[in-house]
Amino acid sequence: MAGSINKVILLGRLGADPEVRVSQEGNKIARFSIATSETWKDKNTNEKKDRTEWHKIVIFSPGLSEIAEKYLKKGSLIYIEGQLRNRKYTDQTGMEKNISEVVLQGYNTTLTMVDNRNNSDINELSSPSLDNSTVDKNVTSDFDSIDVEDEVPF
């Protein structure tokens, strides 16, 4: 095989506020878990069923770690793209354990906040608007005075 791809795409909700630590080099590292859920109807019993999977996320990118620290809260809906990494570690009892994490590091990663959950009142939120009444309605007249033949560079 000429190449391979290691890419994880998830859309889910945070299970808790991100935990941010500072590395020995002074870089912020954010860790959190997100839940993805699926629902279906059992064909035999006609009963609605659901399943939730938890995914551990680690952000090494300094800019994304800052965003996670400032804006992500428990319950936030986020979209992420990262890489799957497996590692071994020894727990406090001395047992070796394996863990899989989605890592956001470098240029090939994405963190998008899908919803706008915060503690303020939802009525206080507003979006920018453009007042078209102040815009000159006769835009074509500005282009009529330009001689196209003089402006062509070749």
Side-chain angles (χ1 to χ4, degrees), residues 24-81:
Q24 293 175 350
E25 295 83 27
N27 299 323
K28 287 188 176 182
I29 300 169
R31 292 179 184 273
F32 53 89
S33 293
I34 65 171
T36 57
S37 300
E38 61 179 318
T39 59
W40 70 93
K41 198 174 202 179
D42 190 322
K43 292 180 182 178
N44 299 329
T45 63
N46 228 10
E47 183 181 351
K48 183 179 174 183
K49 298 197 174 201
D50 62 350
R51 175 177 42 227
T52 301
E53 297 284 338
W54 287 94
H55 312 275
K56 294 185 183 299
I57 314 298
V58 181
I59 303 177
F60 289 108
S61 297
L64 290 181
S65 294
E66 296 259 342
I67 289 171
E69 181 180 31
K70 288 181 183 177
Y71 299 109
L72 296 184
K73 303 290 179 214
K74 178 180 179 178
S76 296
L77 181 64
I78 62 168
Y79 169 89
I80 62 163
E81 293 180 14

Side-chain angles (χ1 to χ4, degrees), residues 57-114:
I57 314 298
V58 181
I59 303 177
F60 289 108
S61 297
L64 290 181
S65 294
E66 296 259 342
I67 289 171
E69 181 180 31
K70 288 181 183 177
Y71 299 109
L72 296 184
K73 303 290 179 214
K74 178 180 179 178
S76 296
L77 181 64
I78 62 168
Y79 169 89
I80 62 163
E81 293 180 14
Q83 292 184 322
L84 186 63
R85 295 240 178 103
N86 299 306
R87 64 180 175 91
K88 286 183 180 181
Y89 71 97
T90 306
D91 69 3
Q92 295 173 345
T93 63
M95 289 190 60
E96 259 193 22
K97 295 195 174 191
N98 294 317
I99 189 169
S100 296
E101 299 169 320
V102 178
V103 176
L104 281 68
Q105 181 177 24
Y107 298 107
N108 249 354
T109 62
T110 301
L111 169 65
T112 304
M113 296 175 288
V114 178

